[in-house]
Amino acid sequence: MINAFGDLIAAEIPVKVVVPVSGSYTITLNDVANVTDRACVVLVDQLTGAETPVTAGASYTFDIDAQALVTPARFLLRITEPTNVVKQNVTCAAGDDGSILVTGPGAGPWDISLTTPEGAVLTATQEASHLFAGLLAGEYVVSVGGSTGCGVLEQRVNVDEPYPFAGNALTRPASCAVAANGGADVTVVGGTAPYTFAWSDGAVGEDLDNVQDGTSQLNIDDGNGCASLIHN
């Protein structure tokens, strides 16, 4: 078992093998998707020169003497530069300003494509990087092809959005027609804090107090600039 943590970078990792009995052995590769969806990984037999692309379920059979030297390592795990994906989430619920910036694993150029949640395929050919903009929230599949050494690299990217943003007002009637002791208690749900409030009478607090009966309007903006309007 080979454990890995931290940022994925280009590397060559020596893999030493110790066996109790001389003979034929098989290396089987599993649970590799977190790496191989972003970079090309190849298992190199430094004795024979054989190279095996690391994919889920791939295997390599080799002969080894139990007395063989452990150092230098028999195998080398070669990892290329990874595909770099930077996403920008949607600003407001149901908005379409999400984006995904894809940079290929090295100088390229690369054939980059993006499969949308609806199944449409957006493509950019022979580019080092590409920005896919104007995206709705959902799960996308990024594909990078070209001279990766391992075929097409694919990974899934989720573009998120805030919960729907709205304000609700619970009114408190004035005690009589001329009394200025009415108000409204406001509750905000969804969106992104902090929130700003602007009442039609100039008040800027969340709740409205000490007003006569009548109609008021409240504009609420959240931290992303999304707006909600309440008539009270």
Side-chain angles (χ1 to χ4, degrees):
M1 177 181 291
I2 300 173
N3 294 318
F5 58 91
D7 294 333
L8 178 61
I9 60 174
E12 290 189 343
I13 304 171
V15 180
K16 299 178 179 180
V17 178
V18 178
V19 297
V21 180
S22 300
S24 181
Y25 291 84
T26 299
I27 297 174
T28 302
L29 304 162
N30 296 299
D31 299 325
V32 296
N34 286 339
V35 175
T36 57
D37 58 0
R38 293 183 288 159
C40 178
V41 184
V42 176
L43 181 69
V44 181
D45 186 333
Q46 299 197 94
L47 181 63
T48 67
E51 296 188 358
T52 303
V54 174
T55 57
S59 63
Y60 177 71
T61 300
F62 62 101
D63 295 321
I64 188 171
D65 191 317
Q67 302 304 314
L69 295 176
V70 175
T71 303
R74 171 68 184 265
F75 295 96
L76 192 67
L77 198 62
R78 181 178 297 145
I79 306 172
T80 67
E81 289 288 342
T83 298
N84 187 42
V85 175
V86 179
K87 71 169 183 177
Q88 179 66 48
N89 291 326
V90 172
T91 302
C92 304
D96 61 355
D97 61 346
S99 66
I100 297 176
L101 174 63
V102 184
T103 303
W110 310 103
D111 295 330
I112 303 171
S113 67
L114 184 73
T115 303
T116 71
E118 298 76 28
V121 180
L122 311 176
T123 59
T125 58
Q126 298 295 290
E127 295 187 20
S129 64
H130 189 78
L131 176 66
F132 296 95
L135 304 180
L136 297 167
E139 183 180 75
Y140 294 80
V141 178
V142 172
S143 303
V144 178
S147 301
T148 65
C150 293
V152 177
L153 304 176
E154 288 190 350
Q155 61 179 293
R156 297 182 180 275
V157 180
N158 283 298
V159 174
D160 300 319
E161 65 180 342
Y163 286 107
F165 170 45
N168 298 304
L170 178 63
T171 59
R172 290 179 280 108
S175 57
C176 64
V178 295
N181 58 5
D185 298 319
V186 175
T187 301
V188 179
V189 294
T192 304
Y195 306 99
T196 59
F197 305 87
W199 290 90
S200 53
D201 67 352
V204 294
E206 177 175 346
D207 298 328
L208 189 64
D209 295 302
N210 302 319
V211 295
Q212 293 180 320
D213 283 346
T215 300
S216 298
Q217 178 176 291
L218 172 63
N219 291 285
I220 308 173
D221 291 323
D222 76 352
N224 285 345
C226 309
S228 180
L229 179 65
I230 299 177
H231 289 282
N232 177 41

